[in-house]
Amino acid sequence: MITVRTAILDDDQKDLDKISKYLTSYLNEKVLYEFDCFNEVNESFYNDYELYILDIESPTFNGLDVGKKIREINPNAVLIMNSKRNDLVFESFKLGIFYFVRKEYFE
């Protein structure tokens, strides 16, 4: 079994719950997603995970800036960005993200 350490960063607890529920619904016997949810960033956040699901827009952090720092510290990490705003899609792909998900998809 493969274990994927996953960090979900979002300022909205409802969105954290939705994303966590979505990930949990796709668990299977070959991949185990161990995930932690955050509404703010600390230093260990940048090193400890293989997969990051980042909200782009928040009053307490900028997901694009967080993604840039993750790329510097943990360049092999997989980044998935999510937002309600369409205009941030192309900006997020400049970070070499794996995927962009509109928040409405998790509903």
Side-chain angles (χ1 to χ4, degrees):
M1 178 174 302
I2 298 170
T3 301
V4 179
R5 297 248 322 124
T6 305
I8 305 167
L9 177 64
D10 201 301
D11 63 308
D12 186 329
Q13 187 61 47
K14 288 180 185 176
D15 287 338
L16 284 170
D17 294 342
K18 287 177 194 174
I19 295 167
S20 298
K21 183 178 176 182
Y22 182 82
L23 274 181
T24 303
S25 72
Y26 283 94
L27 298 177
N28 62 46
E29 66 278 352
K30 294 180 183 174
V31 179
L32 171 65
Y33 291 97
E34 290 182 357
F35 54 90
D36 296 316
C37 298
F38 298 89
N39 55 18
E40 60 185 35
V41 178
N42 60 41
E43 282 306 309
S44 67
F45 176 82
Y46 296 102
N47 292 313
D48 292 345
Y49 300 93
E50 299 155 320
L51 172 63
Y52 291 85
I53 301 173
L54 307 175
D55 182 14
I56 293 178
E57 206 172 29
S58 164
T60 58
F61 60 85
N62 178 313
L64 294 172
D65 291 341
V66 172
K68 287 176 190 172
K69 188 165 181 179
I70 290 168
R71 279 284 172 248
E72 292 170 8
I73 296 171
N74 190 353
N76 294 323
V78 175
L79 300 179
I80 296 175
M81 306 299 274
N82 72 81
S83 179
K84 293 178 183 174
R85 291 182 45 190
N86 284 330
D87 61 319
L88 297 173
V89 173
F90 296 110
E91 188 67 29
S92 66
F93 275 101
K94 291 179 185 176
L95 294 174
I97 67 168
F98 177 73
Y99 203 70
F100 180 92
V101 181
R102 291 192 40 80
K103 284 196 172 192
E104 291 77 23
Y105 183 78
F106 294 117
E107 295 181 6

